[in-house]
Amino acid sequence: MDQFAKRHNAGGEAEYRPTPQDLIEAKEDFGRNCSTNPTMGDIVNRRFSRRGFLGGSLAVAAIGATVSPLALIAADQARAEGAGAFDFEEIEAGIDETHHVARGYDADILLRWGDKIFADSPDFDPAHQSAESQARLFGYNNDYVGYIPLDGSAEHGLLVVNHEYTNAELMFPGWARIGKMAKDGKEEDAVIKGEYTGELVDIEMAAHGGTVIEIRKVDGKWQPVLDGGMNRRITAMTEMSIAGPAAGHDWMKTAADPTGTRVIGTINNCAGGVTAWGTYLMAEENVNNYFSGEIKEDDPAFKAMKRYGIPGGEYAWGRFHDRFDISKEPNEANRFGWVVEVDPFDPASIPVKHTALGRFKHEGCESIVNKDGRVVVYCGDDERFDYVYKFVSAGAYDPDDRAANMKLLDEGTLHVARFDEDGTMEWLPLVHGQGPLTAENGFASQAEVLIHARLAADLLGATKMDRPEDVQPNPRTGKVYCMLTNNSKRKDEQVNAANPRRKNRFGHIIEITETDMDFASTKSTWDVLLKCGDPSIADVGASFSTATTKNGWFGMPDNCAIDAEGRLWVATDGNNEKDTGRTDGIWAVETEGEGRGTSKLFFRVPVGAEMCGPCFTPDDATFFVAVQHPGDAGLPTVETPATRWPDFQDGMPPRPAVVAITRQGGGRIA
Ligand code: FEO
Ligand code: CA
Ligand code: CA
Ligand code: CA
């Protein structure tokens, strides 16, 4: 956002187009939720502490509720070894050109933008890029990372990685330059963007999506298996099917797809998930920005388009592909903003957009098998003043019937969270015909409830949150961790118990306790685990434990992972020199016992980067993390990046990369 403030201004010697991410962030800075559901100005800002009677403990193991049986076995082994809180030696927070990990660990680059995915992939040549070659190479801006074991192995598996968006100014040599632009009557240095061509747009489209790649640990080091038969790139040009209640609805039909059941591509895949049956979930997030064109105010779809921020118009795709121009193909926008399921074991499989999970800006989609076998998927809608959701499948997971499991996300109930002032909460069902979700209110069917899930959630009175990001269930404790990244626009009268700070610059983490370890429960309780920011500045109001060092606090929680032992690791997005005096990174946060609220810095990214994708192998011996948009600070172009990490070679742009962290000599990440 600072970058946006610095670079985004009107006029100047050439038309300035802010980077897509600038605009994504700027848009998020006000939110589009104009509903009148409770902002709870009348609710007193109260700090809860019900931990005394909730008394959650790691000892309460969730035998029936788990993401992966392998994870449980590994966790049992870990506990047998006497694992406790976090043993690693904390690193110093700061900012420089490279990454840092705790002493005694190696952080090795595993896959960079442009790396080969197939044995016959072309060589990456940043000066001569093409869509064709990009579609055979690792994509840009790695975000979610998931690990799917092969034959139960923690040392041989499929890595699934989302490629969220593109930074053209850091990808294409010579395309952007530093120039002067007018701001407040003064001339200032700024990044002046080049002209888009159809070819450039097609390269961007090929750099989006995801990667499935076989990886193997050899002599303690991970390497890609380029001739792995399951390796695959998924892009904005990959054919997908549409399933669930909204499939085939009139609003999903386009000239190219009169059935409303087939769509080309997936975009802005932010975080995601891996299911118990070994599929890869890709969450479509800020899809509005890819659509341009106009919609008239008297168009029946206008209100919903506005609520979804469509058209965002930040990418040039609509100039070269009519389907991204809503003046020409308004319904195409309804076909994005979903959760996509990919079968990574079959590279010819057609990914499925599951409409039962609702349409919004899905940050992630972390799932868990409930004790009754139903599958529960948690999602945040990442915009200021938007909501937290969970989906509960109708059917139950069957370990012996993968084909049936692949249909589980087609049918079930989507809920949205209302956080009440007394520390209880209700998960409100988005079901057509129930409560206000009727034809009179604009919802003629369940399909319409799901396509316009934000509007339905508005009517149900969901709680407006401070940008919900990753929402992560902990199978060990029945708790669920919700990252709320920030919301500088929350006003005094909009403060509520679950969003307790006005102008929330640094975000917070909410801990939900699902009743009786029942993740499908519709009535739960919650607490604020952490209010983030510098605890030494009283005005910030941060709530880290006093044992947290000056390196251990952080701002802007974004993604997170739970290790096999049930411990929480948080990745951040937005720490920088001005706001926090540190880069983003991975912080280990204690959630149980006396150390609750203590945080330690384990890994940090190079300047300008964001931390994404934390993911453990089932034995906790490898921690995969994703470094996104390195060098994106100051006035970044390919010629002037803030760092050339990880190659540090002239002419080579900085490259987003997945890093594999292992302990020297082997053993668990501790
Ligand atoms: Fe892709 Fe919510 O950040
Ligand atoms: Ca996660
Ligand atoms: Ca992020
Ligand atoms: Ca974020």
Side-chain angles (χ1 to χ4, degrees):
M1 219 151 22
D2 283 339
Q3 297 315 312
F4 178 80
K6 209 177 292 174
R7 289 184 277 142
H8 178 48
N9 41 53
E13 62 178 308
E15 188 193 352
Y16 170 60
R17 292 200 189 88
T19 68
Q21 188 61 11
D22 283 346
L23 283 137
I24 289 164
E25 291 282 318
K27 282 254 166 57
E28 286 166 340
D29 202 26
F30 53 85
R32 292 186 188 79
N33 189 345
C34 301
S35 67
T36 54
N37 62 336
T39 52
M40 299 189 199
D42 55 333
I43 290 176
V44 185
N45 173 10
R46 267 179 51 185
R47 173 83 175 90
F48 294 94
S49 184
R50 302 179 322 284
R51 295 184 47 239
F53 72 82
L54 289 174
S57 157
L58 286 179
V60 187
I63 299 306
T66 177
V67 178
S68 134
L70 195 59
L72 278 183
I73 294 162
D76 289 340
Q77 283 167 351
R79 270 199 305 283
E81 289 162 12
F86 299 98
D87 292 337
F88 66 85
E89 189 182 322
E90 182 171 51
I91 62 170
E92 239 178 88
I95 301 183
D96 64 23
E97 290 193 351
T98 193
H99 64 281
H100 299 266
V101 69
R103 189 200 303 258
Y105 293 85
D106 288 327
D108 301 312
I109 309 296
L110 177 61
L111 284 159
R112 302 161 296 186
W113 168 49
D115 278 350
K116 294 183 186 209
I117 295 304
F118 307 98
D120 63 351
S121 291
D123 289 327
F124 178 57
D125 179 353
H128 300 93
Q129 297 180 49
S130 70
E132 198 185 11
S133 63
Q134 178 62 77
R136 306 281 293 166
L137 302 170
F138 196 61
Y140 202 76
N141 270 345
N142 32 223
D143 197 304
Y144 177 76
V145 177
Y147 176 85
I148 299 171
L150 290 172
D151 298 325
S153 174
E155 301 197 340
H156 182 207
L158 297 178
L159 201 71
V160 295
V161 183
N162 281 352
H163 302 295
E164 187 185 21
Y165 69 97
T166 45
N167 291 72
E169 73 286 358
L170 279 170
M171 292 174 70
F172 305 126
W175 184 73
R177 65 189 171 81
I178 312 292
K180 294 282 182 196
M181 281 197 321
K183 188 187 176 194
D184 303 330
K186 282 192 303 203
E187 292 242 294
E188 266 188 15
D189 288 340
V191 173
I192 312 286
K193 312 280 263 183
E195 270 305 308
Y196 273 104
T197 61
E199 176 160 34
L200 226 57
V201 163
D202 288 353
I203 297 169
E204 288 186 336
M205 294 176 86
H208 277 69
T211 293
V212 177
I213 185 165
E214 187 177 331
I215 57 170
R216 187 191 289 275
K217 208 175 185 185
V218 179
D219 297 330
K221 296 289 178 191
W222 287 92
Q223 49 186 246
V225 181
L226 294 187
D227 55 3
M230 292 168 276
N231 295 0
R232 179 177 193 182
R233 272 303 318 282
I234 291 160
T235 73
M237 297 300 287
T238 303
E239 186 176 6
M240 322 223 144
S241 68
I242 299 170
H249 188 277
D250 280 350
W251 297 350
M252 301 292 273
K253 295 174 180 169
T254 63
D257 172 31
T259 69
T261 59
R262 289 270 159 167
V263 58
I264 303 297
T266 182
I267 50 179
N268 213 268
N269 306 93
C270 192
V274 164
T275 63
W277 51 98
T279 60
Y280 159 33
L281 301 179
M282 310 169 76
E284 295 184 331
E285 195 192 27
N286 294 297
V287 298
N288 56 317
N289 290 314
Y290 298 80
F291 293 91
S292 50
E294 267 182 83
I295 181 159
K296 298 206 163 49
E297 261 187 68
D298 59 359
D299 190 305
F302 178 81
K303 179 183 161 199
M305 289 277 196
K306 195 159 186 255
R307 181 70 176 82
Y308 281 82
I310 299 165
E314 314 333 337
Y315 282 81
W317 296 12
R319 280 165 45 201
F320 303 95
H321 296 272
D322 283 354
R323 67 195 182 99
F324 288 104
D325 181 342
I326 59 163
S327 315
K328 295 176 178 151
E329 192 53 276
N331 283 350
E332 186 73 354
N334 293 332
R335 294 141 61 85
F336 291 85
W338 303 102
V339 167
V340 181
E341 183 175 23
V342 179
D343 181 357
F345 294 100
D346 176 5
S349 62
I350 295 174
V352 181
K353 295 199 179 188
H354 286 292
T355 62
L357 277 73
R359 175 170 162 265
F360 47 88
K361 292 185 174 185
H362 293 267
E363 163 72 25
C365 37
E366 296 281 8
S367 62
I368 189 158
V369 177
N370 197 32
K371 57 188 178 185
D372 60 9
R374 287 182 292 170
V375 176
V376 180
V377 186
Y378 291 89
C379 293
D381 182 354
D382 180 9
E383 191 158 303
R384 284 162 176 79
F385 303 110
D386 259 291
Y387 307 131
V388 175
Y389 294 82
K390 85 172 173 189
F391 168 84
V392 181
S393 69
Y397 167 67
D398 179 349
D400 300 320
D401 191 348
R402 190 160 184 266
N405 296 333
M406 300 277 287
K407 303 273 181 210
L408 282 173
L409 303 185
D410 282 345
E411 203 187 327
T413 305
L414 181 67
H415 304 77
V416 67
R418 191 193 67 222
F419 293 87
D420 292 326
E421 187 245 359
D422 62 354
T424 62
M425 66 182 294
E426 194 161 343
W427 292 99
L428 309 161
L430 278 77
V431 175
H432 176 250
Q434 287 188 16
L437 305 184
T438 58
E440 302 87 80
N441 288 325
F443 302 99
S445 62
Q446 183 62 16
E448 297 185 8
V449 167
L450 295 166
I451 296 169
H452 292 165
R454 280 184 163 186
L455 295 171
D458 291 344
L459 288 184
L460 291 174
T463 303
K464 296 177 175 181
M465 308 300 287
D466 288 345
R467 290 186 60 195
E469 301 259 23
D470 208 356
V471 184
Q472 185 87 41
N474 185 339
R476 290 260 152 218
T477 61
K479 293 180 179 175
V480 181
Y481 292 93
C482 178
M483 306 295 121
L484 296 151
T485 210
N486 59 23
N487 182 354
S488 56
K489 299 299 175 190
R490 186 172 291 274
K491 299 186 180 120
D492 284 329
E493 66 272 22
Q494 295 173 312
V495 162
N496 60 46
N499 300 276
R501 287 187 292 183
R502 67 186 285 273
K503 289 192 183 174
N504 181 9
R505 288 174 63 204
F506 303 106
H508 57 290
I509 299 175
I510 284 185
E511 178 186 70
I512 296 167
T513 301
E514 298 285 30
T515 307
D516 298 329
M517 301 283 297
D518 177 7
F519 289 92
S521 165
T522 55
K523 292 195 194 309
S524 312
T525 57
W526 63 273
D527 202 349
V528 174
L529 171 69
L530 269 185
K531 290 184 279 184
C532 304
D534 185 348
S536 73
I537 302 171
D539 280 353
V540 168
S543 66
F544 290 93
S545 80
T546 52
T548 303
T549 74
K550 66 181 182 4
N551 303 307
W553 64 267
F554 57 86
M556 304 85 161
D558 187 343
N559 298 128
C560 64
I562 304 282
D563 66 19
E565 202 190 337
R567 304 181 306 173
L568 177 65
W569 303 72
V570 175
T572 63
D573 167 17
N575 290 271
N576 60 43
E577 188 164 11
K578 177 171 149 270
D579 292 315
T580 56
R582 58 199 59 206
T583 61
D584 285 321
I586 298 278
W587 277 266
V589 178
E590 288 188 54
T591 59
E592 306 296 327
E594 292 205 340
R596 181 176 163 96
T598 303
S599 168
K600 279 172 75 176
L601 178 55
F602 178 70
F603 177 88
R604 71 180 219 223
V605 297
V607 59
E610 166 181 347
M611 186 86 268
C612 302
C615 165
F616 287 92
T617 48
D619 59 358
D620 278 352
T622 304
F623 195 16
F624 297 108
V625 297
V627 174
Q628 203 188 54
H629 58 79
D632 186 14
L635 294 169
T637 67
V638 171
E639 291 70 34
T640 60
T643 176
R644 287 196 183 276
W645 187 90
D647 304 278
F648 298 105
Q649 273 172 29
D650 288 344
M652 179 59 79
R655 299 207 262 177
V658 173
V659 175
I661 301 173
T662 50
R663 193 168 188 154
Q664 291 163 359
R668 296 172 52 251
I669 308 286

